Amino acid sequence: MNTKYIFLTGGVVSSVGKGVTAAAIGRLLKERGFEVSIQKLDPYINVDPGTMSPYQHGEVYVLDDGAETDLDLGHYERFVDISLNRVCNVTTGQVYAEVISKERRGDYLGGTIQVIPHITNEIKRRIRMVSKTTGAEIVFVEVGGTVGDIESLPFLEALRQMRGDEGKENTFYIHITWVPHIGATGELKTKPTQHSVRELRSIGITPDMIIARSDYPIERELCDKIALFCDVERRAVIPMTTAELLYEVPLLIEKTQVAEILLDRLGLETRQKPDLRAWEKLVMELRREKPRVKIALVGKYVELHDAYLSVREAIRHAALSVGVEDEILWIHSSDLEKGRGVELLREADGILVPGGFGERGIEGKIHAARYARQNQIPYLGLCLGMQVLVIEFARHVLETDQVNSTEFDPATPHPVIDLMPDQRDLTDMGGTMRLGLYPCRIQPGTRAAEAYKTDAISERHRHRFEFKNAYRDALREAGMRFSGLSPDDRLVEIAELDDHPFMLGTQFHPEFLSRPTRPHPLFVCFIKAIKENVTRDT
Ligand code: GLN
């Protein structure tokens, strides 16, 4: 079978949930027996989001192979339950870097290098790599931003060419737009959609389907109007009201027959009846009244919840499986340094310190870890959160506040967390951390072993600093357990405290492997400990 391509573009405004929509439709096709993969084309010039501030970009999502990618890849992996690879996130920066390095090598000797065909060919090469590297039969390609942006033009041109290259029966264009609601008259307006489609057509792409997003239900007549003005089959205008719950989206899209229309137009026959019972159960469980637990998330970028998207989702997956409703108390780590936010910490049934970089707010995070240790509050530390756990405990054991990570105090007399040796001589910042999946051995008789129920695991990493082994003995004697180690015993991957209901930190990022129907075992253990604490107290 030829690879089938489904292209998704956005119109009118960004942030209308293109990524989630692509992911949900992907799931519906997987449910019908097809191998599906999803790729995101990002028009910015950075090579990857790894060097961008979370304020600019939200979370950096890490894949098995260590690629630092857009957070939409998290939606794709979670909804479709697949593992993607680095070709699944392409940026303008990568495309140009490749073309320019070929030019320097002399690959195009004599030629003038131009956007068309050199840049567009490189984009198409990368689109085709997805099925080659993942074996997918159906490849979704989502273009970031909205039609009309200068940056996305080469990507759209490449998409346009794909129809000629691959054939009409193998390509399908979905345009996702926003239908605004005018408060004064209570009307929904299709004009921006019409304009956006006109813009797309001027580039040479006629959409095969329009998904019209809105906060209000879109009446049939309005869909008729969109179909008429935009020259799209009536059944292929799909109204999509904003869902109350994220995980409801596949169920809502299933009702709209999008999957049938796609298969029909791509000349495919359903291979199996979709089984969405697990999703239905998930949504029912989300709706059910449940005992509430409060989790303090102490971070540096808490104003922007997207900076912790996977952590948030992993908490939700685990809470659902344990039968509780999570409420996140967002605490700014710098606030804790100034004595603010302490009342929120007191209110919390559990404390989570996620990953992060740089000194700002670090003492606030250490304060949170101390509070958790002294008050027997369940604590989960992710990457930097594990390093914070170690620093706090070592300050207590060594009885000095001079303990630190060399990331925050290069001259500290007690560098319990220090730069990894292979990081010392690096000069480039981009893509040079310890990234991606690494194996880890779980030590028997520990909390980690209880959670994982196996002694060999692999988890995704993104860090430069590590636990300094010279401190292992002193901290072990004081009650710290190194419950996860690299197979050669050199790197501490998990540290936990004896004598505490749950105080555990991971050098890796377990949140990236949590799935809605397969919550991550460490998050489940954390939430269980919280639940036990709460029920004991009441
Ligand atoms: N800044 C720390 C390091 O580089 C932690 C990184 C993280 O939390 N992802 O090791």
Side-chain angles (χ1 to χ4, degrees), residues 354-358 382-385 387 407-408 417 420 433 462-466 507 509:
F357 297 85
L382 310 174
C383 205
L384 178 61
Q387 299 175 354
E407 181 178 5
F408 316 121
I417 306 292
M420 287 185 275
M433 282 185 249
R462 182 172 187 251
H463 65 119
R464 289 190 205 283
F465 292 80
E466 63 169 336
Q507 187 56 81
H509 289 272

Side-chain angles (χ1 to χ4, degrees), residues 368-440:
R370 173 162 311 144
Y371 182 84
R373 181 176 57 78
Q374 291 178 338
N375 296 285
Q376 303 274 299
I377 309 289
Y379 173 100
L380 179 61
L382 310 174
C383 205
L384 178 61
M386 173 265 203
Q387 299 175 354
V388 161
L389 183 164
V390 170
I391 295 169
E392 193 286 316
F393 188 67
R395 283 186 182 181
H396 161 68
V397 174
L398 304 176
E399 294 176 359
T400 164
D401 275 354
Q402 299 275 298
V403 177
N404 218 327
S405 159
T406 50
E407 181 178 5
F408 316 121
D409 178 5
T412 172
H414 294 293
V416 281
I417 306 292
D418 198 8
L419 203 58
M420 287 185 275
D422 45 2
Q423 290 282 330
R424 284 190 203 283
D425 300 323
L426 290 176
T427 46
D428 276 4
M429 292 295 280
T432 54
M433 282 185 249
R434 179 168 180 252
L435 288 165
L437 214 57
Y438 283 92
C440 165

Side-chain angles (χ1 to χ4, degrees), residues 59-62 77 310 460 509-515:
E59 154 186 283
V60 174
Y61 190 79
V62 181
E77 287 203 338
S310 294
R460 295 181 183 173
H509 289 272
E511 67 270 24
F512 295 138
L513 293 185
S514 179
R515 300 286 176 261

